[in-house]
Amino acid sequence: MDWSVIINNLPFLMKGLWMSVKLATLVVIFAFPLACLIAVGRISTRRWVRYPSAIFVNAMRSNPLILIVFWFFFLVPLITGKPVGDFASVMIGFVVFFSAYFTEIIRSGIQSVGRNQIQAGLSTGLTYFQTMRMIILPQALRNMMPALITECVIVFQGTTIAYVVGLREFLNSTFLITEVTLRPAELYTFAAFVYFVVCFAGSSLARQLEKRQVRT
Amino acid sequence: MTDPLVDIRDLSLWYEKFKALDNISTSFSSGRCVVICGPSGSGKSSLLRCINRLEEFQEGDVLFEGQSLRECPNIAALRSNIGMVFQHFELYPHMSILDNITLAPRHAKGKSKADAEALAHTLLERVDIADQAKKYPAELSGGQQQRAAIARALALEPKLMLFDEPTSALDPEMIVEVLRVMRDLAKDGMTMLVVTHEMVFAREVSDEIIFMDDGKIVERKETDDFFSNPHSKRAQDFLDRILMKI
């Protein structure tokens, strides 16, 4: 084993890791508010809102991420009429795909709060939207925090899929270095270690929050 | 003031196939306290919830100050004139008592923070929990929570207060403190509709009693008259049972 290969290529690898972190963070930042809207649509009493939301969520959840990424990679340029770049198309694919999963987490979070709280808010003359924003979502957010963090970990792991369109995220960067250095054992061990540290930290945080919730 | 304050016309409500309210017509005048009683499943709570359109009724109409709820363009604005108190309080657990009370005045009625808080403190004084303003609902007893919920409803400066079994979830010693607040409200001339099984409260405080069964109003009488000689057999049976006459 020759670990110097990692030290020597660390700047390139870290650039890849930064790309992964950036991608995951941006995906969560865009997917979450989108998912909040779709989740509210999902529990709406109006059919013309509820049905499209349900169709969207089920369509996304019944497809592999890699297909969604490919699909947007080829579709977005068709719509915009010009290439939008690897990063943008992967971003859009990820945001759309993961917003479906976030939607289901948020929906169950909202439903854990209960209809009576909605009625209480409405009865005081707040609009449905105000009731959701000020009364239901804050409570739902607290209830669903562990599940949300777990999903963020999955998003981070999911960023590896971006390699299919040639984006240089962390795993792809590792792969490129192995091609040059022919040191796959050391490099993939290192990559596994980095993924473990990041993801384990995330899931530990989720577990802590869950414990605290049981107590209150 | 428009009278009657609430006018219910041929109101029917279904839950799926089940007819919860069956062609109800009645009205309520300002300044009166009316108790609605009857066996469970008789439609008492449903009737109450139609008056601020928390239930979307399918037939008939409810007029509040002459405004049709069916054709109301801004139901939220209309609801902000009607206070409602729930069986399980439904305080917002993530907010302090003060924030619970000021939320609607600020965001539904457009009051400033300072005005809303001044009002909240007055109301907390009135329901006798002035020292609990900074606490969270979970830190209060059931009776205190329900009084806070009454204060939250009163913060709308409502023209009508709806009480949906306000003491059913409370321990006996806490029921009294909530009923006392409600009695004082009635004395001050608040228009109140109260769904309750507390017949002592009904007898002492209310002006009128409505007895419901099977989604219909079976009887409506002045309180004294209702207790001395209820006409219908069903009301008679109900009274016997609830007053534990054997």
Side-chain angles (χ1 to χ4, degrees):
Chain A
M1 293 287 225
D2 177 14
W3 296 100
S4 66
V5 66
I6 290 157
I7 311 291
N8 295 339
N9 295 288
L10 205 57
F12 188 80
L13 290 172
M14 286 302 110
K15 224 175 119 190
L17 182 60
W18 170 237
M19 174 61 92
S20 293
V21 170
K22 193 168 72 175
L23 185 59
T25 309
L26 286 172
V27 166
V28 171
I29 287 172
F30 284 106
F32 185 73
L34 180 64
C36 283
L37 289 177
I38 303 169
V40 171
R42 194 100 160 74
I43 55 170
S44 169
T45 51
R46 298 188 180 107
R47 263 184 227 143
W48 58 270
V49 180
R50 193 170 70 234
Y51 286 174
S53 317
I55 289 169
F56 168 77
V57 168
N58 286 314
M60 286 305 130
R61 301 213 311 165
S62 311
N63 268 299
L65 173 57
I66 196 162
L67 179 77
I68 303 293
V69 169
F70 270 138
W71 194 61
F72 274 99
F73 185 70
F74 293 112
L75 184 81
V76 174
L78 278 184
I79 294 172
T80 59
K82 55 175 190 244
V84 289
D86 306 344
F87 189 78
S89 70
V90 165
M91 262 281 295
I92 295 168
F94 271 57
V95 166
V96 169
F97 181 83
F98 281 108
S99 67
Y101 284 85
F102 279 119
T103 296
E104 288 304 88
I105 293 170
I106 295 162
R107 180 179 65 92
S108 69
I110 290 173
Q111 284 172 337
S112 75
V113 178
R115 280 182 52 78
N116 290 338
Q117 285 277 306
I118 302 180
Q119 300 222 320
L122 292 179
S123 80
T124 60
L126 296 171
T127 64
Y128 184 74
F129 194 71
Q130 284 176 319
T131 303
M132 274 294 159
R133 185 167 57 82
M134 297 189 286
I135 297 167
I136 306 304
L137 285 177
Q139 292 182 64
L141 202 63
R142 197 157 51 173
N143 293 348
M144 68 201 176
M145 215 54 206
L148 277 181
I149 292 174
T150 304
E151 193 60 31
C152 291
V153 168
I154 296 172
V155 170
F156 181 69
Q157 291 170 338
T159 57
T160 51
I161 295 285
Y163 96 94
V164 296
V165 296
L167 200 71
R168 282 190 196 167
E169 45 70 55
F170 184 51
L171 190 61
N172 196 16
S173 307
T174 312
F175 169 76
L176 291 173
I177 300 291
T178 61
E179 293 284 271
V180 185
T181 60
L182 301 176
R183 283 276 172 204
E186 291 88 344
L187 282 159
Y188 285 132
T189 306
F190 175 70
F193 176 73
V194 171
Y195 278 110
F196 175 80
V197 168
V198 174
C199 296
F200 187 73
S203 50
S204 301
L205 180 64
R207 220 174 10 257
Q208 285 302 318
L209 287 170
E210 212 159 356
K211 263 196 223 151
R212 211 169 58 187
Q213 238 168 40
V214 173
R215 260 184 275 135
T216 49
Chain B
M1 212 173 273
T2 325
D3 251 283
L5 185 65
V6 179
D7 194 0
I8 299 175
R9 294 178 179 171
D10 306 317
L11 179 72
S12 290
L13 170 78
W14 282 263
Y15 297 117
E16 308 287 330
K17 293 255 162 62
F18 175 70
K19 197 166 191 179
L21 294 177
D22 188 1
N23 201 28
I24 289 192
S25 294
T26 193
S27 62
F28 301 101
S29 307
S30 296
R32 311 258 302 168
C33 173
V34 180
V35 158
I36 305 172
C37 63
S40 43
S42 58
K44 315 179 290 288
S45 292
S46 302
L47 179 62
L48 211 60
R49 283 158 187 272
C50 283
I51 292 169
N52 59 0
R53 222 177 83 184
L54 282 184
E55 296 286 359
E56 296 278 352
F57 45 86
Q58 289 87 355
E59 274 180 17
D61 205 348
V62 175
L63 276 68
F64 182 78
E65 295 191 299
Q67 162 73 56
S68 154
L69 261 65
R70 184 178 283 287
E71 285 152 20
C72 184
N74 186 351
I75 191 70
L78 188 140
R79 282 179 183 138
S80 72
N81 292 312
I82 303 175
M84 187 161 200
V85 177
F86 298 84
Q87 182 176 356
H88 295 284
F89 332 135
E90 303 304 338
L91 292 169
Y92 315 131
H94 60 301
M95 294 180 194
S96 70
I97 296 299
L98 189 66
D99 290 342
N100 262 275
I101 297 172
T102 57
L103 188 73
R106 289 178 61 194
H107 298 280
K109 308 208 89 162
K111 273 199 162 62
S112 73
K113 188 163 187 254
D115 286 355
E117 286 185 353
L119 174 65
H121 284 297
T122 313
L123 290 169
L124 283 171
E125 199 88 49
R126 190 162 164 193
V127 299
D128 214 16
I129 46 170
D131 46 346
Q132 312 289 337
K134 291 274 183 293
K135 289 192 182 163
Y136 283 79
E139 298 173 272
L140 271 59
S141 74
Q144 290 173 326
Q145 286 190 49
Q146 192 61 300
R147 284 182 283 153
I150 293 173
R152 178 177 70 184
L154 289 174
L156 301 171
E157 301 174 307
K159 293 169 180 154
L160 169 67
M161 284 284 284
L162 306 173
F163 292 85
D164 191 1
E165 303 206 26
T167 56
S168 298
L170 293 174
D171 294 334
E173 69 265 33
M174 292 171 181
I175 292 179
V176 179
E177 60 196 43
V178 171
L179 291 181
R180 203 170 287 149
V181 168
M182 290 168 61
R183 180 199 62 200
D184 293 347
L185 265 181
K187 271 194 187 149
D188 291 347
M190 174 62 75
T191 313
M192 293 164 65
L193 293 183
V194 186
V195 171
T196 186
H197 293 296
E198 297 291 337
M199 291 326 254
V200 177
F201 171 84
R203 185 176 223 157
E204 312 247 303
V205 177
S206 74
D207 300 305
E208 278 178 86
I209 309 255
I210 286 178
F211 176 75
M212 288 184 72
D213 198 10
D214 273 339
K216 294 191 187 76
I217 292 177
V218 180
E219 265 192 81
R220 175 174 180 163
K221 281 186 164 176
E222 296 290 314
T223 300
D224 294 339
D225 199 19
F226 180 83
F227 280 98
S228 49
N229 54 343
H231 281 305
S232 70
K233 172 118 182 42
R234 277 183 292 182
Q236 187 66 60
D237 287 348
F238 176 77
L239 269 181
D240 285 352
R241 249 178 295 133
I242 212 155
L243 299 172
M244 284 201 283
K245 286 186 193 161
I246 305 170

